[in-house]
Amino acid sequence: MHNSQNGAAVVASIDAPASGGKGPLAHLLRKDCVGCHTNSVDGKTMVVSNGTTYPIVFNTHVPTENVLAGGNFYWVAQTGGDAFGHNVYPIAGVDQTLSRAPGSITCAGCHTSLATSDTGCTGCHNSVRHHGTVRYPNPENASSGWYRFLSAPEDTDHTGVGGAPVLGIEDPNWEHNADASHHNVYYGGVSGSNEDTASPESMGKFCAGCHLGFHSNGATFSAGGVNVNNGSGAPGNPWLRHPADFAIPTVGEYGDIIGTSYDPTVPVGKPMTTDSGPAPDSATGNTVQAGDTVICVSCHRAHGSPYADMLRWSYSEMEINTTGAGAGKGCFKCHSQKDGK
Ligand code: HEC
Ligand code: HEC
Ligand code: HEC
Ligand code: HEC
Ligand code: HEC
Ligand code: HEC
């Protein structure tokens, strides 16, 4: 009640947004984000306590069941683990290799590092509304915190620089046991449109808010150039970087796979009826084929993974003509004729 017992503080705040990261936690809470979303007992990634189910994003023991959709911070927390996830306060110290988000602008704080005490979880989860009004399946408004509480910072410091909240449809157990018909639906934007202006609420554009240069319509950044190289001002062949937020063709090698069955190990973005809010029926049906997009999270986990660069699968298994463990997975899910088939 007073954050005081026998004259000493009860909780040492590590992440209290309302008090700038210092002092007791907001809302009289005893635990912060990491406190509630960590499992330090075993490798389970969903924990039920007193009837409440906690989605676990950080296990201090190696996860022994499926990681949730965003992955897990376990690997980035290990010594030498920098490349395996976002270095997030207070789980992992500042990344020793990357001095800012690759592909990004430089501005102190979240674009430079998420491992400082004023950033952390709330560098990305900028609209946390655990008690929002309409939580599932598609919390498409501010009072419900948008998709997984993801948005640009709501404080006025960020006003005028753009950025948007994220739309999407939430799997009720965070893809703990996802399959072709139980999974999140990532909003992929309006196919063929300019993501920056027409569909800023897509998941791909959210990542690109901090990694601007790595998506199709990204602005130039210091590493030079964007994907636009075909003279028309539109993204396309020949590619300079792997496309992201780009419609997957329905013909050729892509036609073999895309649209037939959704694979949560290689998710794609889905078009939704309007940009002001996804239409649940058309989106959850997942019948839309033309317009599926390759997005950042087709290849990456948002939090971290057992693979370098937070990939969803082992890059070293992605050998051309392989009939081994990587066949049909990862890259070959889309580039379905490049493995040993
Ligand atoms: C008191 C414990 C507690 C604290 C503190 C807490 N969470 Fe949660 N969080 C939960 C529980 C329980 C759920 C699952 C039930 C729900 O979605 O409300 C959850 C769900 C979530 C989700 C998934 C939302 C969704 O749409 O399914 C996100 C994202 C999240 N929390 C982020 C955060 C962040 C960021 C913080 C710190 C600002 C935080 N949480 C602090 C207990 C907590
Ligand atoms: C709020 C800003 C921010 C957002 C949003 C963001 N990132 Fe990052 N990202 C960073 C920063 C800062 C780094 C460099 C430090 C680090 O690795 O933590 C980084 C690093 C990375 C790395 C390299 C990891 C490594 O250490 O080698 C990958 C891959 C990545 N981000 C992917 C993503 C994806 C995918 C998304 C969307 C789900 C995303 N990022 C959203 C800030 C952001
Ligand atoms: C770089 C941005 C970023 C940071 C930093 C970040 N998250 Fe997330 N988080 C995401 C994204 C994106 C998703 C949605 C993943 C998906 O649906 O694929 C997510 C999903 C979640 C979920 C729902 C479970 C799941 O995996 O879908 C919880 C809970 C959560 N985050 C908590 C946290 C906590 C706690 C922290 C700090 C320790 C944190 N996040 C830091 C981007 C971030
Ligand atoms: C609390 C974390 C945080 C801080 C601090 C922060 N940003 Fe951001 N910024 C974000 C996130 C998260 C996004 C991605 C939001 C989105 O696109 O939906 C973003 C996106 C952006 C974008 C891209 C917008 C777009 O439409 O593509 C710009 C530009 C930007 N920030 C500028 C800045 C500048 C300049 C500063 C320093 C004054 C700053 N930010 C500080 C979290 C932060
Ligand atoms: C088709 C798969 C794929 C897509 C889509 C993709 N990436 Fe990557 N990304 C990779 C691979 C593979 C690597 C590792 C490259 C290597 O090691 O040579 C990587 C590396 C990275 C890195 C680390 C760069 C560095 O300098 O260390 C960042 C950051 C990153 N990706 C962010 C993103 C963001 C943001 C998006 C969406 C705008 C995205 N990626 C889309 C496959 C992908
Ligand atoms: C979710 C689907 C998807 C995944 C996964 C994927 N790609 Fe792609 N890739 C595409 C699409 C779509 C294009 C653009 C096709 C076009 O321009 O017609 C593309 C284009 C490319 C190109 C450029 C080809 C050209 O003609 O310019 C290369 C190279 C490539 N991908 C390699 C990879 C590698 C390596 C991986 C794994 C790390 C990977 N892709 C994973 C969908 C995917």
Side-chain angles (χ1 to χ4, degrees), residues 33 48 68 81 93 97 111 125 134 168 195 198 230 262 269 289 321 329:
C33 314
V48 182
L68 304 182
T97 311
H111 296 269
H125 297 285
V134 187
E195 289 276 316
N230 62 1
Y262 186 96
Q289 185 169 346
N321 276 334
K329 294 194 192 139

Side-chain angles (χ1 to χ4, degrees), residues 98 102 207 211 214-215 242-244 294-296 299-300 309 311 315:
L98 303 173
C207 305
H211 299 280
F214 289 5
H215 92 139
H242 198 282
V294 51
I295 55 177
C296 311
C299 303
H300 295 284
D309 293 293
L311 288 170
Y315 198 21

Side-chain angles (χ1 to χ4, degrees), residues 82-83 86-87 95 98 100-101 110 112 207 210-211 300 309-310:
D82 279 355
H86 278 115
N87 291 56
D95 194 300
L98 303 173
R100 62 168 169 154
C110 312
T112 313
C207 305
C210 288
H211 299 280
H300 295 284
D309 293 293
M310 306 154 55

Side-chain angles (χ1 to χ4, degrees), residues 15 32-38 45 54-58 67-73 86-91 114 119-125 130 147-150 166 169-171 173-175 184-186 203 206-207 210-211 267 297 300-303 310 312:
D15 195 339
D32 60 5
C33 314
V34 180
C36 281
H37 290 286
T38 295
T45 55
Y54 292 78
I56 301 301
V57 300
F58 177 43
V67 294
L68 304 182
N72 199 283
F73 291 108
H86 278 115
N87 291 56
V88 170
Y89 184 85
I91 293 171
L114 293 158
T119 57
C121 310
T122 51
C124 288
H125 297 285
H130 287 88
Y147 179 82
R148 305 296 188 213
F149 309 151
L150 297 165
V166 178
I169 298 176
E170 302 182 338
D171 182 49
N173 68 4
W174 312 280
E175 300 202 336
N184 294 320
V185 180
Y186 299 108
M203 176 62 89
F206 179 77
C207 305
C210 288
H211 299 280
V297 298
H300 295 284
R301 295 277 187 192
H303 293 153
M310 306 154 55
R312 289 181 165 261

Side-chain angles (χ1 to χ4, degrees), residues 237-239 242-243 246-249 254 266-268 294 298-299 313 315 330-331 334-335:
N237 256 320
W239 293 99
H242 198 282
F246 184 76
I248 301 167
Y254 310 97
V266 187
V268 293
V294 51
S298 298
C299 303
W313 13 263
Y315 198 21
C331 311
C334 294
H335 298 284

